[in-house]
Amino acid sequence: MFKSKWKYSALSLLCVLAIGNTAYAEREFFWSDAVPLQSCFQNRDGIPNKMGIEKDGKKIEIELPSCEEVKKNQVLVLVNGRYLHVEDSGGVPFIENGRTMVPLRAIADVFQFEVGWEQSQEKITLTKDGKSIIMHIGKPDILVDGEKVKLEEVVPMIKNNVTFLPVRQLAEILGIQVDWDGSTRTATFN
């Protein structure tokens, strides 16, 4: 009887872990108090970018940015005291023409927007509390509650199969204050 309780307990624990990991794997990002650290590499000889691993008996070379490159190019996003962490390097915030670009799903999550996507038109619709924002990939004109607004210098884009939005202009449209700290390359939303 004691052994069967352990079997059921272990099986239950495995089910909980499997379900929890499956749900967690669907998210490409999360918010945390900890400052995110991106992957970088520099070997013992001071040579960046190339790291080798062995998988199934085959040597695989992985290219990672140097730690200097990561520090120079990393963009941090801080909302309500919590940092954006990205699970996949394809969704890392970046600077485009002087504007901070952040993954659409992260913005929608933190500001609690419902997201609509129409593939044929590459149309993004964000809705919350009766407010509607409509954008198209690659186009500077957006509709905010039916009124036309023009994005400056950057447009919504897809990079590495992730949709990115110019977050400052979007936040300002929503009445959210955004501060930029150039020394730490951090966009802070209050």
Side-chain angles (χ1 to χ4, degrees):
M1 168 120 172
F2 185 70
K3 283 185 180 182
S4 65
K5 281 186 179 180
W6 276 105
K7 285 181 186 178
Y8 288 119
S9 297
L11 182 60
S12 298
L13 179 61
L14 286 174
C15 288
V16 167
L17 289 173
I19 292 168
N21 285 340
T22 302
Y24 183 75
E26 291 175 9
R27 300 212 28 192
E28 297 135 8
F29 62 90
F30 63 95
W31 299 90
S32 167
D33 297 338
V35 177
L37 299 173
Q38 289 182 342
S39 297
C40 64
F41 177 74
Q42 189 162 330
N43 71 15
R44 290 176 282 202
D45 301 324
I47 301 169
N49 300 337
K50 304 233 185 248
M51 181 173 87
I53 62 169
E54 194 170 308
K55 182 177 179 182
D56 298 327
K58 295 180 182 178
K59 208 172 197 179
I60 300 171
E61 200 168 86
I62 299 173
E63 288 195 29
L64 291 173
S66 71
C67 296
E68 284 179 18
E69 284 177 274
V70 166
K71 191 173 183 178
K72 181 178 130 194
N73 295 323
Q74 183 175 27
V75 175
L76 301 175
V77 177
L78 183 63
V79 179
N80 298 326
R82 298 172 68 84
Y83 288 95
L84 172 63
H85 291 257
V86 179
E87 293 288 321
D88 177 11
S89 62
V92 174
F94 62 96
I95 304 293
E96 179 80 16
N97 293 332
R99 304 288 183 195
T100 304
M101 303 296 285
V102 177
L104 163 65
R105 293 291 174 187
I107 293 171
D109 176 69
V110 76
F111 295 124
Q112 300 174 338
F113 276 94
E114 293 290 325
V115 178
W117 170 253
E118 291 182 36
Q119 178 68 37
S120 61
Q121 298 178 25
E122 292 191 319
K123 177 176 148 182
I124 304 159
T125 304
L126 301 175
T127 54
K128 176 185 173 185
D129 300 332
K131 188 172 211 61
S132 172
I133 300 171
I134 299 173
M135 304 174 250
H136 291 84
I137 299 297
K139 296 184 181 175
D141 296 324
I142 65 174
L143 289 176
V144 179
D145 293 333
E147 292 185 36
K148 192 173 176 180
V149 176
K150 193 168 195 83
L151 294 173
E152 300 169 10
E153 300 178 28
V154 290
V155 295
M157 66 175 67
I158 297 174
K159 180 178 175 183
N160 300 321
N161 293 321
V162 176
T163 302
F164 287 89
L165 302 178
V167 75
R168 173 183 286 278
Q169 291 174 288
L170 188 59
E172 288 174 351
I173 288 167
L174 299 170
I176 299 167
Q177 182 184 344
V178 184
D179 295 314
W180 174 253
D181 181 343
S183 64
T184 61
R185 296 176 56 88
T186 303
T188 304
F189 297 83
N190 300 311

